[in-house]
Amino acid sequence: MMGITSLKKFVTDSMAVDLGTASTLIAVKGRDIVLDEPSVVAVNELTNGIVAYGQEAFDMRGREGRDITVLAPLIGGVVADFEHTKKMLAYFVKKAKTGGSQVSLQAVMSMLSDVTHVEQRALLNAAEEAHIGKVFMMEEGLAAAFGSGVSSKDKRASAIVDIGAGTTNIAIVAKGTIVHSRSERIGSMDINLALANHLRRHRGLQVGDETTEKLKTDFATVILPTDIGKTVHTRGRDVQTGSPAAVEVTVGEIYPVIESIMRRIAHVVADTLTELQPEVAADIFDRGIILTGGGALLNGIDQYLREKVNLPVIISDEPRYATVRGLLHMFEEPELLAKVSRNEPHILQNSEVPFEA
Ligand SMILES: Nc1ncnc2c1ncn2[C@@H]1O[C@H](COP(=O)(O)OP(=O)(O)OP(=O)(O)O)[C@@H](O)[C@H]1O
Ligand SMILES: [Mg+2]
């Protein structure tokens, strides 16, 4: 017999939250993705109050008013600034509820496999204060796998490589559990930093984040371009004079900059694939790897990785949404959710269990 409380679970919101370094995604049962906003807040330096959240704060970035700073409270996939993370998450959750049910009974969130005790606690506390009901936490790699269509019943192994803004997370999944994982603090954002560095050092031009992002998404490629002479007009501030300035940048010029970062990411992937047990390695040899995360949208990335790791490479459908869709999927398999959720920080792998006298 189904009790009234378990019945309620079906009619009220169940939320999936992917709190990333660059963006926060929220999906709600029955409504798919309801929120996709940059993980930033705009803070007034004088009052210390938050003046804008998410997209609105992001749009101020690089052109902030005198007393305003736009900051990202998460670094490398984990909470770096607790107070701002907490307020930002509460704001996003509230926004995600509008238009749907006002009550949220349960939520599932993702976290990195190597998250520490302290980091997970911070995330849980932030979630508690956002009033999203009971919170389940699970490893990001597993969510990315389910969100890419990997079945929890599949006993053969799949390899999922999530390239986010601040992290690259590799998970080998079989039978609905992670058999091996690794995460490194390198991601797509490092390409932006490398581009800004290059332009400043070699072209004498200081550029903002909006400019490097546009260069990366609209112009850059990680496979040797055929038309290396193709140019793009890039504006910024002259390093010498400080005046507004512009230079012509060619695709051939920035290709090595992009490739140097991607080579490091490919190296982490290749290295992780040498750590597998023979049967798992055999499965991956046949199946190759699945790419998720915003970094998977980089032009030429699949071909590049295919050549570097010598395996088939598939980009997941809408790779930025794979993790949050995988989280949402968990509500359809409650027994699996119970099995994979890691709510007690001390049962996490890699986290140190404090010695109790
Ligand atoms: N079309 C594109 N081409 C290249 N890179 C892109 C594209 N679209 C988005 N990105 C990059 O993807 C990154 C964001 O990816 P994603 O939303 O998966 O990160 P995140 O989940 O916030 O970060 P993390 O998982 O590291 O915490 C950004 O660095 C962004 O520049
Ligand atoms: Mg992510």
Side-chain angles (χ1 to χ4, degrees):
M1 267 294 278
M2 195 178 271
I4 190 84
T5 37
S6 40
L7 253 179
K8 266 192 187 155
K9 277 191 186 140
F10 292 96
V11 293
T12 42
D13 286 346
S14 295
M15 247 185 215
V17 183
D18 173 12
L19 191 58
T21 313
S23 34
T24 299
L25 302 164
I26 299 184
V28 170
K29 203 171 160 189
R31 290 199 292 149
D32 198 32
I33 289 141
V34 295
L35 183 125
D36 174 358
E37 296 207 29
S39 300
V40 294
V41 292
V43 178
N44 182 320
E45 296 273 313
L46 303 176
T47 62
N48 250 328
I50 296 179
V51 295
Y53 292 90
Q55 192 62 52
E56 196 191 341
F58 190 80
D59 292 339
M60 296 176 165
R61 192 188 49 145
R63 300 188 188 85
E64 299 96 331
R66 255 170 312 179
D67 308 324
I68 307 290
T69 314
V70 177
L71 50 91
L74 291 122
I75 298 176
V78 294
V79 178
D81 172 340
F82 179 67
E83 282 307 312
H84 289 128
T85 301
K86 190 174 80 180
K87 288 181 181 144
M88 181 176 80
L89 183 61
Y91 172 87
F92 287 149
V93 165
K94 189 156 178 248
K95 193 166 174 182
K97 282 181 189 168
T98 54
S101 162
Q102 293 303 304
V103 214
S104 163
L105 271 191
Q106 53 177 353
V108 54
M109 291 181 83
S110 53
M111 62 192 186
L112 290 172
S113 301
D114 68 348
V115 71
T116 68
H117 214 73
V118 176
E119 291 161 345
Q120 194 192 2
R121 188 77 345 251
L123 200 58
L124 269 174
N125 286 347
E128 247 160 48
E129 296 200 30
H131 303 292
I132 38 179
K134 178 162 174 49
V135 179
F136 298 92
M137 305 201 84
M138 65 184 275
E139 289 177 64
E140 189 178 286
L142 207 48
F146 298 146
S148 307
V150 172
S151 160
S152 61
K153 295 178 186 75
D154 189 349
K155 62 180 206 285
R156 295 183 64 203
S158 302
I160 293 87
V161 176
D162 182 277
I163 305 173
T167 53
T168 294
N169 187 37
I170 301 148
I172 315 295
V173 171
K175 268 174 103 179
T177 149
I178 294 189
V179 295
H180 190 73
S181 77
R182 177 148 155 202
S183 58
E184 293 286 335
R185 266 62 181 176
I186 180 170
S188 189
M189 207 187 266
D190 292 283
I191 295 178
N192 298 51
L193 298 176
L195 283 171
N197 248 325
H198 170 85
L199 292 174
R200 192 184 68 247
R201 296 187 52 213
H202 296 273
R203 308 299 299 274
L205 191 74
Q206 238 182 322
V207 293
D209 223 24
E210 199 181 308
T211 303
T212 53
E213 187 69 15
K214 215 167 154 37
L215 270 178
K216 178 173 78 174
T217 56
D218 301 355
F219 191 66
T221 162
V222 68
I223 43 164
L224 195 63
T226 41
D227 49 348
I228 52 172
K230 193 171 134 198
T231 61
V232 64
H233 196 63
T234 307
R235 291 172 293 264
R237 176 176 186 268
D238 188 291
V239 172
Q240 303 261 330
T241 66
S243 311
V247 295
E248 293 299 322
V249 174
T250 68
V251 66
E253 171 187 351
I254 61 167
Y255 159 73
V257 180
I258 313 284
E259 201 271 339
S260 69
I261 303 294
M262 274 314 302
R263 199 185 325 139
R264 286 169 54 200
I265 293 179
H267 188 81
V268 175
V269 176
D271 207 42
T272 307
L273 296 178
T274 65
E275 298 162 356
L276 310 179
Q277 292 173 30
E279 291 304 343
V280 174
D283 291 342
I284 306 306
F285 181 80
D286 285 347
R287 296 181 159 187
I289 59 183
I290 301 172
L291 293 183
T292 64
L297 293 165
L298 182 69
N299 211 334
I301 194 170
D302 45 346
Q303 189 183 332
Y304 181 82
L305 281 176
R306 209 170 286 142
E307 285 163 16
K308 288 281 172 194
V309 298
N310 262 312
L311 291 174
V313 175
I314 300 156
I315 301 175
S316 172
D317 266 4
E318 297 190 282
R320 289 187 59 237
Y321 294 158
T323 301
V324 76
R325 290 215 170 109
L327 292 171
L328 195 61
H329 172 80
M330 299 313 291
F331 295 117
E332 275 152 43
E333 290 192 67
E335 315 82 50
L336 183 66
L337 177 60
K339 198 178 101 193
V340 303
S341 67
R342 296 267 184 276
N343 278 37
E344 293 307 316
H346 60 83
I347 61 167
L348 270 178
Q349 61 166 46
N350 299 337
S351 64
E352 283 154 38
V353 182
F355 181 76
E356 279 173 47

